[in-house]
Amino acid sequence: MAKKRILTGDRPTGLLHLGHYVGSLANRVRLQDEYECFFIIADLHTLTTKPSREDIACLADNARHMVLDYLACGIDPAKSVIYLQSAVHEVCELDLIFEMLVTVPRLNRVPSIKEMARSANLSELPFGLLGYPVLQAADILLPRAHLVPVGKDNESHVELTREIARRFNSMYGAEIFPVPDVMLGEVPTLVGTDGAAKMSKSLGNAIMLCDDAKTVEKKVMSMYTDPNRVRSDIPGRVKGNPVFIYHDSFNPDRDEVDDLKSRYAKGKVGDVEVKQKLAKALNAFLEPLRERRAAYEGRRGYVDEIIYDGTQIMRAEARKTLEAATKAMGLSAVWNRISRKAEETKKKQAAAGGGGSGE
Ligand code: ATP
Ligand code: MG
């Protein structure tokens, strides 16, 4: 039986961080053998909040860095397709088709959109930003994916994708699209180093996958912990405390973590020790990623080739899906009928030795 498919990806807005890893990347790496994977470099999605020439000029290099992060994490281009969204034009056509299957009030209820507008300092919602999750539905359904590993902020987008897939299939009486499932990461939303709800590049509260050991240490030592704990002999709060959330996610030494937690709760350990052990655990986790990254960085042109090859594969898939979808809709028949007739007429005219029409 053919393998089921995964589609997920990221906007090329900069380097990836620990939040991306626990939210989505870890699942991607884990499921590479079980699923046929498509990873999208969603550059068109960046236009929704960053449409300037200067922003666009950064996309190619951002995409390369992002793919290096993928490879560093263990994504294997021999198994998985990595492609550039803006080079697969069919996504725009599918997006337009899907736009007819969703209402504006429904899009207004997608919680992440207003959040994105706010963080991009946009007082009014651009049409394209409102349509962000519709374009994402087109991304997911173009390779007809069954599973979408993403972080919590993307859950509502996959829900909308499911609605669109069902709507399309029932409206046009054909099972063209699977109704994809969402898969949240082990930590659906990783907190930032400053204690803000979400680690995010734009908030400057992120530990990057390619940060060096010194940088990680510096970021960890200045992390937000329990604000009420002004001295280390005061019992601290473990639950919801970012340093322990990170320990839980990245420190494989369960005994050490349990010991730190119980001493913290009793006021028997200083923040410094908790943080030093966290920095050590994080660096141990990141070291193999750094090594892999460096090895790939040494191979000039390799990343571009990966994106190039992946995009060719995705283009072929996209054509197949769009053909099936427009056929089910009867849309492709419109041009087919007209063009067939026109070609027949032209042939007849040529056979009669006539010139153009009207003669
Ligand atoms: P940032 O907000 O840091 O700029 P982003 O949200 O723009 O990153 P996206 O391209 O929107 O990055 O998201 C890529 C994937 O990573 C999505 O599946 C998203 O849910 C996930 N993700 C991003 N940040 C986090 C986080 N802090 N915790 C868990 N998952 C996250
Ligand atoms: Mg985001």
Side-chain angles (χ1 to χ4, degrees):
M1 213 179 77
K3 278 185 187 174
K4 288 196 167 179
R5 286 185 171 177
I6 278 179
L7 179 294
T8 187
D10 313 88
R11 290 181 295 164
T13 48
L15 297 162
L16 299 182
H17 52 62
L18 294 177
H20 294 118
Y21 187 84
V22 289
S24 173
L25 278 162
N27 275 333
R28 298 182 208 177
V29 175
R30 189 171 60 82
L31 296 170
Q32 266 185 116
D33 290 309
E34 206 179 316
Y35 285 79
E36 198 180 342
C37 292
F38 293 82
F39 300 132
I40 182 172
I41 305 165
D43 58 339
L44 293 176
H45 271 104
T46 65
L47 301 182
T48 58
T49 52
K50 295 173 184 236
S52 76
R53 271 184 75 90
E54 293 72 34
D55 291 324
I56 293 169
C58 301
L59 291 175
D61 276 337
N62 283 351
R64 291 177 174 126
H65 285 297
M66 205 170 87
V67 172
L68 272 173
D69 278 333
Y70 286 180
L71 302 175
C73 288
I75 286 178
D76 179 354
K79 294 178 187 162
S80 299
V81 174
I82 300 172
Y83 72 96
L84 186 71
Q85 182 187 30
S86 66
V88 182
H89 300 151
E90 284 81 359
V91 78
C92 300
E93 195 172 340
L94 196 60
D95 176 45
L96 182 131
I97 290 167
F98 288 169
E99 282 172 12
M100 314 307 156
L101 307 181
V102 61
T103 68
V104 173
R106 174 67 183 88
L107 292 175
N108 271 325
R109 288 199 299 274
V110 175
S112 54
I113 301 302
K114 291 196 183 91
E115 186 47 50
M116 273 194 267
R118 227 186 338 265
S119 40
N121 289 321
L122 301 167
S123 55
E124 286 192 84
L125 209 57
F127 179 53
L129 184 53
L130 185 67
Y132 189 108
V134 184
L135 181 56
Q136 197 171 336
D139 296 334
I140 294 167
L141 297 177
L142 202 54
R144 303 198 230 184
H146 305 88
L147 188 68
V148 191
V150 282
K152 181 84 182 159
D153 57 349
N154 270 270
E155 193 177 25
S156 60
H157 303 178
V158 182
E159 187 48 47
L160 188 82
T161 303
R162 293 166 59 82
E163 288 171 27
I164 289 175
R166 283 198 205 98
R167 188 93 212 274
F168 185 99
N169 291 344
S170 81
M171 193 150 166
Y172 300 114
E175 290 299 309
I176 302 294
F177 297 112
V179 178
D181 289 314
V182 71
M183 175 181 267
L184 295 184
E186 212 165 273
V187 184
T189 308
L190 189 70
V191 290
T193 52
D194 59 353
K198 190 184 162 216
M199 179 178 282
S200 155
K201 290 173 289 246
S202 35
L203 297 175
N205 63 3
I207 294 174
M208 300 302 166
L209 296 177
C210 67
D211 277 346
D212 61 31
K214 276 259 156 317
T215 308
V216 170
E217 213 177 292
K218 229 173 92 194
K219 288 182 178 175
V220 169
M221 294 318 285
S222 61
M223 264 181 79
Y224 175 94
T225 55
D226 178 349
N228 296 321
R229 195 168 182 255
V230 287
R231 282 197 328 266
S232 57
D233 57 351
I234 299 175
R237 216 165 62 92
V238 168
K239 198 166 182 289
N241 188 328
V243 283
F244 287 109
I245 293 176
Y246 290 13
H247 263 298
D248 281 336
S249 310
F250 297 102
N251 189 344
D253 187 344
R254 302 316 316 161
D255 293 341
E256 178 175 274
V257 176
D258 290 343
D259 170 59
L260 288 172
K261 281 182 181 173
S262 85
R263 286 197 284 139
Y264 195 84
K266 291 182 202 145
K268 292 208 176 322
V269 65
D271 271 20
V272 172
E273 186 184 339
V274 177
K275 288 178 171 176
Q276 275 169 344
K277 290 198 162 132
L278 175 60
K280 201 165 157 235
L282 282 176
N283 277 326
F285 165 76
L286 290 172
E287 195 44 38
L289 274 71
R290 293 182 192 123
E291 279 167 19
R292 248 179 267 141
R293 192 175 219 277
Y296 284 118
E297 252 167 340
R299 296 170 65 174
R300 279 198 65 208
Y302 182 58
V303 166
D304 289 344
E305 229 181 303
I306 288 172
I307 301 173
Y308 182 89
D309 293 346
T311 301
Q312 303 302 342
I313 295 173
M314 186 57 218
R315 279 177 171 166
E317 284 304 320
R319 277 194 291 272
K320 274 194 260 172
T321 301
L322 207 68
E323 236 173 72
T326 53
K327 186 164 177 233
M329 296 168 75
L331 186 62
S332 48
V334 180
W335 173 247
N336 286 348
R337 275 194 225 144
I338 289 175
S339 61
R340 208 178 308 123
K341 195 83 196 152
E343 279 159 19
E344 270 170 30
T345 311
K346 279 179 192 296
K347 249 189 236 150
K348 273 189 209 144
Q349 282 166 349
S357 56
E359 287 189 334

